[in-house]
Each structure stands twice: as structure tokens, then as C-alpha cells.
Amino acid sequence: MNNIQNILRNNKLSVTEGRKKILQLFLNTEGALAHSDIEKGAGENFDRVTIYRTLHSFVEKGIIHAIPSADNSIKYALCKDECGEGHHHDHHVHLVCSVCQKTLCLDEVVVPIVNFPAGYCIKNIEVVANGICKQCNS
Amino acid sequence: MNNIQNILRNNKLSVTEGRKKILQLFLNTEGALAHSDIEKGAGENFDRVTIYRTLHSFVEKGIIHAIPSADNSIKYALCKDECGEGHHHDHHVHLVCSVCQKTLCLDEVVVPIVNFPAGYCIKNIEVVANGICKQCNS
DNA sequence: CAAATAATTGCAACAATGTTGCTATTTTTG
DNA sequence: CAAAAATAGCAACATTGTTGCAATTATTTG
Ligand SMILES: [Mn+2]
Ligand SMILES: [Mn+2]
Ligand SMILES: [Zn+2]
Ligand SMILES: [Zn+2]
């Protein structure tokens, strides 16, 4: 029935107003959200600390993943399927659009195989592309 | 003769104590530096604001490049050759070592070609790998 | 369902990081 | 070396992130 409650329950998180509202925001939003986006979008009577803590536990549980950036503005987006507590498996590429400024998960674009010289042990790879998204390019 | 002075002069930056000291730090360091590393490494009597402004102008001139991260701790590393005012051409992969915590430019590992669906226009791609570096892995 | 227990929230206080305007100092130019 | 231009340091402020704790809310238990 209630999608949001289920997601929280399945991840052994108690169902609170804050978590529901933030998760709802992610489900309603195309593109990734920064902490500040949530602060604005989640209504006034929301403590910043709660948002930090909620984002942290969502990441920990594998509900959302963090997308790196080179300008101190981490964004977060919903994980798809197989992510769970402790292990993320988001093998897709991200796009930061220079026109609409959105950060998008391109689920259909898979992180390529990169050959490292002998001696390195690679755990995972993040790919962030800068460019123009489909919508803005037409 | 003086390598550091030349770099600054070639980039039309006046040669000041601050810039020399920060550039020296980069030249002496294996791995990328965060703002805080520079704050510690550059001596006490150094204004934080000067470091911010120096890093910004170095990036702008193509002397250093910023390396994205998912934990709000941008690092900077020296650019190699062809970077100049306005255009960076750092087509290498970065590695964040989970043991020594260093962020390394792997100049010999080139950013792979990624196929995007039609409609996107890609300007550049950042690749950051997490794993264990050669030194820590032996 | 109500009480007991467990978990989360908001608050306050604080630390760390980043920005801006202005003046004094330093660097470059001629 | 003097004049002009650029930079550094300072102060004040804004933004972002962290921690401890008491009050509130959610879950479990009987
Ligand atoms: Mn994603
Ligand atoms: Mn690099
Ligand atoms: Zn766009
Ligand atoms: Zn290492």
C-alpha cells in the first residue's frame, strides 16, 4: 500500500514525519537534491540537524547515494534496487547539466571498465559528466 | 632558473610570498592537497582568505585542478602540461586510497570513453576511483 | 489498548568552512 | 626610484556541519 512506509520499514527505520517528508521529496523530484534543496523543499519547521541525520541514515541504509562534486555541494539521489545496508551498487554515470543545473542519474549509462596498472586494488568508481542534458539540448 | 617563479610568470601572476609557498607545497607533495592541508603546511602566519584566493586563481589559470569528492573535501593537484587559462585538459583518473587517505592523480590511466544516449552533449568527464594505492597494497 | 521501552527530534552551543569589502602592504612597471 | 597596479591581511559576516542533551514521538510488550 504505502510505498514510503514500506521503504522505511524494509530498511528497519522507524516511520517518522521527517523521514516520510524527505523521502517523498526524493520520490517527487527528478534529479538529485542537495541538503539545501531539502531544507527549502521540506517546509519551514524542519531542523537542519534532522536533515543531516536523515540523509546520513538513508545513505547508510542504501536508500540514497551521494554524488561527488568539485564545488562542495554534494547531492543525493535515490538508489535503485540492489543497494542495501552497507553496500551500494550504483553503477551508473551522473550528469551535471550546465543549463538547468540539475544533476541526473543516467541509469542506462553504465560505468565503463577502467584498466589500472598492476598493484592497485579498486573498490568502486564514480563517474560524473558535465554537459547538457537531453531536455536542455533540444 | 627558478621553476616556481617561471610558472607564476608564465601565467601572468605576480610573484608573491604566498603564491610561491603554496606552489612549492604542491611541487613537494605526492598526492592532492585540501585547503586544510595547505593551511597546516604553509606556516602559521598565513591568512585563510589568501589561500582561498590563491587556489581559485591557480585553478583559473590552469596551474592546478580540483578533484571532486563525495564528502565535501575538494582536493587540488597540479595540472600537467596543456592546461591553461580557461581550459583544463586533465584526462586522467583519480584514486582515493582508503588506507593512506591520499588522493592521487593516475596520469597513466586515461578517462575511458563513455557512450551516452542521443540527445546529451558531454563536455568533460570526471572519474574518481576508491581503492588501495600501489604503495599501501604491497 | 495502555504502559514501558526505544528511537528520533529539536534546540543550543559550537566548530569549521567560505565570502566580501576595505585598507595597508607588496609587486610590477616605466 | 616613484607611480601605478595588484595582492595580502583583517574584520565582519554567512553558510555549513557536528555534538550533547532533554523533550517528544514511535514501537514494542503485556
Ligand atoms: Mn545516481
Ligand atoms: Mn588529477
Ligand atoms: Zn539540463
Ligand atoms: Zn595508499
Side-chain angles (χ1 to χ4, degrees):
Chain A
M1 1 256 111
N2 190 332
N3 194 12
I4 290 179
Q5 285 210 2
N6 284 346
I7 295 176
L8 293 174
R9 287 253 165 75
N10 291 341
N11 286 283
K12 293 178 193 141
L13 289 173
S14 42
V15 180
T16 67
E17 283 309 306
R19 286 174 180 165
K20 282 195 285 186
K21 200 176 278 183
I22 292 177
L23 191 44
Q24 182 74 69
L25 249 185
F26 276 107
L27 290 164
N28 289 345
T29 309
E30 182 207 37
L33 295 170
H35 177 101
S36 64
D37 298 324
I38 297 169
E39 210 165 332
K40 288 161 199 150
E44 283 308 318
N45 41 4
F46 236 119
D47 200 274
R48 277 183 330 112
V49 178
T50 301
I51 299 176
Y52 283 113
R53 293 199 269 229
T54 303
L55 290 174
H56 285 156
S57 56
F58 282 8
V59 168
E60 203 176 348
K61 293 294 187 178
I63 299 173
I64 61 176
H65 58 279
I67 303 167
S69 81
D71 69 334
N72 275 338
S73 65
I74 301 177
K75 302 221 170 154
Y76 299 89
L78 285 177
C79 294
K80 299 300 158 182
D81 314 306
E82 325 83 6
C83 297
E85 178 140 18
H87 14 259
H88 281 264
H89 300 284
D90 300 286
H91 293 320
H92 57 269
V93 165
H94 294 110
L95 173 72
V96 180
C97 176
S98 56
V99 178
C100 64
Q101 306 295 339
K102 282 182 190 157
T103 295
L104 303 170
C105 294
L106 301 186
D107 301 299
E108 68 274 29
V109 183
V110 169
V111 167
I113 294 182
V114 179
N115 283 315
F116 287 82
Y120 293 95
C121 167
I122 303 304
K123 296 260 169 52
N124 89 310
I125 299 184
E126 299 276 358
V127 178
V128 181
N130 297 280
I132 302 177
C133 78
K134 219 190 302 202
Q135 290 212 346
C136 294
N137 203 24
S138 59
Chain B
M1 1 257 111
N2 190 332
N3 194 13
I4 290 180
Q5 286 210 1
N6 284 346
I7 295 176
L8 293 174
R9 287 252 164 76
N10 290 342
N11 285 284
K12 292 175 194 144
L13 289 174
S14 43
V15 180
T16 66
E17 284 308 306
R19 286 174 179 164
K20 282 194 286 185
K21 201 176 279 184
I22 291 176
L23 191 45
Q24 182 73 69
L25 248 185
F26 276 107
L27 290 164
N28 289 343
T29 309
E30 181 208 37
L33 294 171
H35 177 101
S36 62
D37 297 325
I38 296 169
E39 210 165 333
K40 287 162 201 151
E44 283 310 317
N45 42 4
F46 234 119
D47 199 275
R48 277 183 333 110
V49 178
T50 301
I51 298 176
Y52 284 113
R53 294 199 268 229
T54 303
L55 290 174
H56 286 156
S57 58
F58 281 7
V59 168
E60 203 176 348
K61 294 294 187 178
I63 300 174
I64 61 176
H65 59 278
I67 303 167
S69 81
D71 70 334
N72 275 339
S73 65
I74 303 176
K75 301 220 169 155
Y76 299 88
L78 284 177
C79 293
K80 299 299 157 184
D81 313 307
E82 324 84 8
C83 297
E85 178 138 20
H87 15 260
H88 281 265
H89 301 283
D90 300 287
H91 293 321
H92 58 269
V93 165
H94 294 109
L95 173 72
V96 180
C97 176
S98 54
V99 178
C100 65
Q101 305 297 337
K102 282 183 191 158
T103 296
L104 303 170
C105 295
L106 301 186
D107 301 299
E108 68 274 29
V109 182
V110 169
V111 168
I113 293 181
V114 179
N115 284 315
F116 287 82
Y120 294 94
C121 169
I122 304 305
K123 298 260 170 52
N124 90 311
I125 299 184
E126 297 276 358
V127 178
V128 181
N130 297 282
I132 302 178
C133 79
K134 218 190 303 200
Q135 289 212 346
C136 294
N137 203 24
S138 59

